[in-house]
Amino acid sequence: MNQLDDLYEPNWENTANKLMEYHVEALFVHDQHSRLLTINENLGPTVPAPAFFLGRTIDGKAVCRFRYDVADKTAKRLQELSLEEPSISEFPAKPKYFAEYMALLHGQQYTMGPCYFVPRIVTPSLQVKSLTRENAANWLPHEFEWLIRELDVSQPCVALVHQNIAVSICRSVRITNFAHEAGIETLKEYRGNGFAPAVVAAWAIAVRKLGCLPLYSTLAENHSSQSVASKLGLAYYGSNFTIA
């Protein structure tokens, strides 16, 4: 058992706020003042971070961050409102002060979604393989050929190989020294067979071997991804909300 497990796993419900901090730090690159700069992408063009991030947690605490160019006065008011957000026990529709946040930032686009922690008790129901640049060509179908260029920086990466083809993949898409966020891809024709839960569970085990915590988050409208979380019994610790 690594140090992070000693600190957080036995009573993860009481450390939801800390898990949310790990989540936002994995999602975005921050400056020295904890202001958001860009999305934490391993590859590809630099994408600006959203203007505002709000993470509401089941322990009644909120984590909020602002992009570097948000005015201090606006950031202060956003912070004040976030402190008045109620605790949440399940994924809600919108924050209590949704309208105020949007007005303060003249926002037109927003995202939100549930955040989960993968407990140690989650284990894969099917056998999977570790995917590396050296062996990827053996199993990757053309639909997943784009993954080859990411494999060096998206580890751990595991795949469920069915009839010599990788049909479902889970890899680390946001990485810090403390936590990894999961990214899942399953070929359309193989969805609904329990393959995605198996690769998520195996990926989480690989992340723990690195001494990090496995986190899983998705969008409100991504019901298939939420179904994976439900099938695995992932621990819901809060929800995120961003304004572009």
Side-chain angles (χ1 to χ4, degrees), residues 45-56:
T46 299
V47 179
F52 177 52
F53 170 93
L54 172 66
R56 294 169 290 163

Side-chain angles (χ1 to χ4, degrees), residues 1 34 53 57 78 110-111 118 124 132 162 177 197 240:
M1 181 174 290
S34 294
F53 170 93
T57 64
L78 291 167
Y110 68 92
T111 67
V118 186
T132 65
H162 177 73
N177 291 332
N240 62 40

Side-chain angles (χ1 to χ4, degrees), residues 9 12-13 19 58 114-120 122 214-216 229-230 232-238:
E9 186 126 21
W12 69 265
E13 297 94 338
L19 291 172
I58 60 173
C115 303
Y116 305 95
F117 168 66
V118 186
R120 178 177 288 277
V122 171
L215 303 180
Y216 181 105
S230 177
L232 282 171
L234 302 191
Y236 172 77
Y237 66 88

Side-chain angles (χ1 to χ4, degrees), residues 9-156:
E9 186 126 21
N11 299 294
W12 69 265
E13 297 94 338
N14 298 322
T15 58
N17 181 257
K18 190 64 179 179
L19 291 172
M20 188 61 73
E21 289 181 356
Y22 286 149
H23 172 61
V24 68
E25 288 164 5
L27 292 184
F28 309 112
V29 177
H30 295 61
D31 67 14
Q32 67 270 31
H33 305 295
S34 294
R35 290 287 194 122
L36 306 181
L37 296 173
T38 62
I39 294 176
N40 183 23
E41 292 278 3
N42 292 325
L43 292 172
T46 299
V47 179
F52 177 52
F53 170 93
L54 172 66
R56 294 169 290 163
T57 64
I58 60 173
D59 60 8
K61 299 177 182 178
V63 174
C64 66
R65 301 286 169 85
F66 324 101
R67 197 170 57 214
Y68 68 93
D69 56 354
V70 173
D72 289 343
K73 182 178 179 180
T74 300
K76 181 180 179 181
R77 182 54 181 157
L78 291 167
Q79 177 79 55
E80 291 171 348
L81 290 171
S82 73
L83 294 175
E84 297 179 19
E85 289 284 347
S87 61
I88 53 177
S89 59
E90 58 185 18
F91 180 56
K94 291 178 181 177
K96 178 180 179 179
Y97 295 104
F98 171 82
E100 288 86 344
Y101 298 140
M102 297 295 283
L104 282 166
L105 293 167
H106 308 288
Q108 297 183 2
Q109 295 183 336
Y110 68 92
T111 67
M112 58 185 183
C115 303
Y116 305 95
F117 168 66
V118 186
R120 178 177 288 277
I121 60 173
V122 171
T123 57
S125 58
L126 299 168
Q127 188 173 4
V128 302
K129 298 179 182 294
S130 296
L131 207 59
T132 65
R133 183 180 290 273
E134 289 71 30
N135 64 20
N138 296 330
W139 301 306
L140 284 183
H142 68 87
E143 294 93 335
F144 287 158
E145 286 179 352
W146 53 266
L147 181 62
I148 294 177
R149 69 179 186 276
E150 297 184 10
L151 280 173
D152 289 343
V153 293
S154 298
Q155 293 293 333

Side-chain angles (χ1 to χ4, degrees), residues 158-214:
V158 299
L160 192 143
V161 177
H162 177 73
Q163 295 181 347
N164 212 37
I165 298 175
V167 299
S168 187
I169 294 168
C170 185
R171 68 200 190 284
S172 295
V173 293
R174 306 282 186 268
I175 300 172
T176 69
N177 291 332
F178 299 102
H180 288 214
E181 285 274 348
I184 313 168
E185 303 285 346
T186 301
L187 295 180
K188 186 176 181 179
E189 60 269 33
Y190 291 96
R191 294 171 186 171
N193 293 302
F195 294 161
V199 293
V200 172
W203 165 84
I205 291 172
V207 169
R208 289 182 184 283
K209 289 180 179 178
L210 298 177
C212 296
L213 292 175

